Amino acid sequence: RVRLRLAARSPVARGANALARQLAGLLGHPLPKVREKALKALGAAAERAGDALLCDDHVQEAVAARFRDEAATVRQAAVDVVGARCLASRDAFDRYHADVLARLRDAGLAVRKTAVRTLRASLRADREPDAHGRTLVALVRAAARPREEQTVRDLVRDAIRDAWFAPKPPAPPSPPSPAPS
């Protein structure tokens, strides 16, 4: 904890936060290509400086707005960034979970597929049971839509199969018991 606090106060961390805020400002640019590139750069900055960048309130507000962007490429980039970076950080993913779930109803097919892949990866991660349940329910509802593409249904099927039927990773070995004297 002490190292994390010291690292957060370092000039590099302050520079990363300033960079993240600048990139978050670019997320409001009028051109979709600029917004998409800014999201990808923000993801790269979070990868190098730490996923806590995506938990910054200003950055989170800007990224959350891109989930509802008019351009499908920007919405997909938002799901990609959150999926790639936030799965490593439980707190970060919890902040964006509802936004990713909402992308299951997106008009863009590529956005829906990316959302399913991200949620599939989140099901593999060790998440709280409530979020796990909400994710499964949302996936089942997405697959049950009458006009949903078969490719999305196949991805949902694979995600649910993995969540319910995939073998669990082995439990960590228990410490050896003391030898009798």
Side-chain angles (χ1 to χ4, degrees):
R1 285 185 172 229
V2 173
R3 283 190 289 173
L4 289 175
R5 286 184 182 164
L6 289 174
R9 294 180 186 157
S10 74
V12 172
R14 285 194 303 270
N17 285 336
L19 175 64
R21 287 181 177 260
Q22 289 293 321
L23 289 170
L26 283 174
L27 294 178
H29 194 276
L31 293 175
K33 195 68 173 168
V34 172
R35 295 192 303 268
E36 180 185 354
K37 295 289 185 185
L39 274 167
K40 290 179 180 181
L42 187 59
E47 181 178 356
R48 287 172 181 75
D51 298 322
L53 280 180
L54 293 174
C55 292
D56 177 81
D57 291 337
H58 181 70
V59 172
Q60 181 184 355
E61 184 179 314
V63 171
R66 295 309 102 208
F67 278 103
R68 298 176 301 279
D69 197 278
E70 62 191 31
T73 57
V74 176
R75 294 191 308 269
Q76 183 178 2
V79 175
D80 276 335
V81 166
V82 167
R85 299 306 332 138
C86 291
L87 289 175
S89 168
R90 183 177 188 163
D91 182 46
F93 189 76
D94 290 345
R95 288 176 177 247
Y96 293 99
H97 187 243
D99 293 318
V100 176
L101 289 177
R103 292 306 94 215
L104 290 172
R105 296 182 304 273
D106 197 274
L109 176 62
V111 178
R112 293 193 311 271
K113 286 180 174 183
T114 303
V116 171
R117 288 184 190 108
T118 298
L119 292 169
R120 180 181 183 182
S122 79
L123 289 171
R124 288 187 209 130
D126 185 26
R127 300 275 173 231
E128 66 180 60
D130 189 41
H132 197 82
R134 283 194 313 269
T135 300
L136 287 170
V137 167
L139 287 170
V140 168
R141 286 184 178 154
R145 285 191 200 96
R147 295 186 182 170
E148 187 56 83
E149 293 282 332
Q150 187 60 43
T151 55
V152 174
R153 288 183 175 157
D154 292 343
L155 288 170
V156 168
R157 181 200 60 225
D158 294 344
I160 292 171
R161 184 192 62 221
D162 288 353
W164 285 340
F165 303 115
K168 298 289 182 198
S174 58
S177 55
S181 13

